């Protein structure tokens, strides 16, 4: 078997909190336990929220905690770089072309209000399901959306630029078609999972209307091209995993192994967020040593039987 490669893929939109440390530690431990390597990728696709300084801070925090990466980071250690998503547009562009040449893309001009107003019967968890409002009437293959604008516009029945005052000048978001079929996978934590993308999310966005690449497309392209063999992350990304498996298949890549752990919660039982200041690393570093913080994260992750000061390497020694 080839060597394991795990990864941590933070979005640089703020200081990490204990939940992020748990995610980093669990993926680090899982890769290292079997003599594998660990990669750091900066997921700065959202231009409004991402900041270089946050990425730097994440690297400093990981280093201080002893969570060292073998590949990636801002300095781009390794052969599969760059490891910063905002610098990887050419790879996403190429994947987009391959989806387009299969006739699976179409432009969507819906606003958020349109999507909410037309969404399929409501999901109990508040998830939004795209109704297919802009989907061409005929089944795929659809006409290319990347060919010269006029051809694409007439073929998809989309208003040409200037003809509709509301959409004129606005670039459509691009969606990839999903089929009415079950996507099954076995997750190391969550077990057997089944999603039907038509029912659970609908055709989903691969490039936003502002031109930004969608997380789903970028993460698949990156994990595949970077040779990641296992993805360890929070269980809030289980449905995303089904979407990603759809893209793995369309792009002809082998999906990695998946392990989605239960998210840790705050004292009110809610999942940690950037608003839980007491759990942010800024506050934790003011009160605890790096080894104490790793100990808390390891305990919350179920890796050690009680909170105690440890380094990440010592966590490997526990068979708990
Ligand atoms: N950038 C994503 C986040 O911070 C990571 C998603 C993933 O691990 O695939 O939530
Ligand atoms: Zn639409």
């Amino acid at each position: 078997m080839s060597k394991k490669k795990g990864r941590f893929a933070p979005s640089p939109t703020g200081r990490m909190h204990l939940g992020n440390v748990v995610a980093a530690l669990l993926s680090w431990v899982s890769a290292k336990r079997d003599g594998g390597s660990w990669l750091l990728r900066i997921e700065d696709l959202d231009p409004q929220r991402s900041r270089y300084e946050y990425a730097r801070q994440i690297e400093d925090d990981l280093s201080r905690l002893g969570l060292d990466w073998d590949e990636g980071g801002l300095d781009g250690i390794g052969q599969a770089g760059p490891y910063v998503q905002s610098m990887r547009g050419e790879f996403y562009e190429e994947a987009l072309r391959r989806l387009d040449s299969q006739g699976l893309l179409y432009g969507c001009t819906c606003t958020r209000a349109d999507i909410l107003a037309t969404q399929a019967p409501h999901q109990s968890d508040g998830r939004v399901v795209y109704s297919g409002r802009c989907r061409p009437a005929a089944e795929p293959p659809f006409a290319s959306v990347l060919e010269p604008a006029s051809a694409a516009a007439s073929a998809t029945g989309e208003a040409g630029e200037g003809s509709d005052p509301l959409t004129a000048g606005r670039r459509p978001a691009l969606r990839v078609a999903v089929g009415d079929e079950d996507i099954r996978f076995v997750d190391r934590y969550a077990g057997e999972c089944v999603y039907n993308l038509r029912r659970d999310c609908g055709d989903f966005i691969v490039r936003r209307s502002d031109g930004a690449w969608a997380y789903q497309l970028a993460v698949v392209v990156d994990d595949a091209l970077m040779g990641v063999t296992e993805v360890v992350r929070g269980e809030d990304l289980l449905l995303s995993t089904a979407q990603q498996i759809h893209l793995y298949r369309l792009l002809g890549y082998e999906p990695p192994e998946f392990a989605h752990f239960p998210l840790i919660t705050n004292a009110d039982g809610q999942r940690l967020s950037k608003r839980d200041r007491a759990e942010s690393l800024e506050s934790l570093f003011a009160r605890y040593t790096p080894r104490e913080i790793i100990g808390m994260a390891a305990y919350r992750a179920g890796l050690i039987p009680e909170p105690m000061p440890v380094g990440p390497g010592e966590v490997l020694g526990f068979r708990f």
Side-chain angles (χ1 to χ4, degrees), residues 7 9-11 43 215 219 231 233 237:
R7 54 50 153 201
S11 302
E43 301 209 324
Y215 157 69
V219 79
V231 167
R233 60 188 174 194
L237 290 169

Side-chain angles (χ1 to χ4, degrees), residues 193-269:
C193 298
V194 186
Y195 290 96
N196 177 301
L197 295 181
R198 177 86 44 102
R199 179 195 67 210
D200 294 331
C201 66
D203 300 335
F204 59 90
I205 291 182
V206 287
R207 199 186 68 197
R208 297 187 343 190
S209 59
D210 63 2
W213 297 101
Y215 157 69
Q216 308 293 4
L217 180 73
V219 79
V220 167
V221 168
D222 288 351
D223 282 334
L225 295 185
M226 294 176 185
V228 167
T229 68
E230 60 167 34
V231 167
V232 179
R233 60 188 174 194
E235 68 183 4
D236 54 325
L237 290 169
L238 274 172
L239 169 60
S240 289
T241 300
Q243 297 171 253
Q244 290 163 23
I245 288 173
H246 181 58
L247 292 179
Y248 274 101
R249 291 180 185 162
L250 296 177
L251 294 169
Y253 295 130
E254 182 69 31
E257 197 189 324
F258 292 104
H260 289 83
F261 56 85
L263 295 173
I264 69 166
T265 51
N266 62 18
D268 301 330

